[in-house]
Amino acid sequence: MQVNIILLAAGKGLRFQQSVPNQVGCGSIKQLAQIDGKPLITYSIEKLQPLLEHAGVNILYVTLGANKNVIKSRLPAEVSVITSQHWSQGMGHTLAESVHSIKAHSSHVLIALADQALVTTEHYQALLNASKAQPNKIIATRCDEQLMAPAIFPEKYFPQLLKLQGDKGAGKLLQQHANKFDAITCAEAKFDIDTLADLEQVRQYLQNAQAENNLSETTP
């Protein structure tokens, strides 16, 4: 297997901007919103980087579009960037461009979303392990009986990914191929940061998790 990772972070985040009307500049850019003391984009990248230690996992790409220059300046040096020329036309166009960039040296692509901040490294690793065991199947995430990203697609599905347009992302293919995939449950995948309220919910979730962890460490 030759797996490449694409972390989609190209959107303008208009709903987020509208929810923080008093912020200007970087303060209104969703990808740079602070989570646990670091930008959201960095937080999401750090969840994926351990996968690069696996044999057959090659490169972590981040796809940028809106505000690409300021976001790129915050990325770790070892991350490769794909620039979406048509990000304003929707996630489908962005995803198609991204897959086109990596298809020549990939047998599989793991598609992740930057605003799913609570998806853990363990879940990404579970997806990867399932793909290695069933390399011809799509491996998706299941949450509340819905199929969604993050997901791994074998190269035989690349032509269909390349045809995506508008706001239709990988979820469209998951629905079309309901009998050709396996799915791993991840309750945290439902936390999708679109607004400031969503961001606060994620922050609170992390604070509660840390408090529970500290309690367990101090309880005999």
Side-chain angles (χ1 to χ4, degrees), residues 1-5 47-59 110 121-130 132:
M1 292 177 66
Q2 297 295 317
V3 183
N4 282 301
I5 304 168
K47 298 292 186 67
L48 287 161
Q49 283 178 319
L51 273 64
L52 298 173
E53 300 174 5
H54 290 252
V57 181
N58 294 337
I59 301 175
L110 191 167
T121 298
E122 289 73 20
H123 180 66
Y124 288 125
Q125 290 177 335
L127 294 174
L128 182 60
N129 292 339
K132 288 181 177 180

Side-chain angles (χ1 to χ4, degrees), residues 19-30:
S19 70
V20 288
N22 297 324
Q23 295 288 333
V24 295
C26 294
S28 65
I29 299 175
K30 180 173 72 170

Side-chain angles (χ1 to χ4, degrees), residues 118-220:
L118 295 181
V119 175
T120 63
T121 298
E122 289 73 20
H123 180 66
Y124 288 125
Q125 290 177 335
L127 294 174
L128 182 60
N129 292 339
S131 184
K132 288 181 177 180
Q134 304 176 89
N136 293 319
K137 282 190 174 183
I138 299 170
I139 308 298
T141 295
R142 178 183 285 114
C143 180
D144 295 338
E145 302 307 316
Q146 293 185 338
L147 297 174
M148 61 183 68
I152 299 178
F153 288 87
E155 62 182 328
K156 67 180 180 180
Y157 295 99
F158 288 2
Q160 295 174 64
L161 289 169
L162 293 171
K163 294 178 182 179
L164 292 174
Q165 297 181 348
D167 293 326
K168 301 299 183 181
K172 179 180 180 181
L173 289 187
L174 296 177
Q175 295 172 5
Q176 291 176 348
H177 299 285
N179 61 337
K180 300 176 183 178
F181 70 87
D182 197 3
I184 298 175
T185 298
C186 178
E188 291 79 10
K190 66 184 176 184
F191 292 94
D192 187 1
I193 298 175
D194 285 326
T195 66
L196 181 60
D198 296 334
L199 177 63
E200 293 297 341
Q201 185 178 19
V202 167
R203 287 170 172 168
Q204 189 61 53
Y205 181 98
L206 291 171
Q207 290 177 5
N208 293 342
Q210 184 60 50
E212 291 179 4
N213 184 58
N214 292 340
L215 181 61
S216 66
E217 290 179 353
T218 57
T219 302

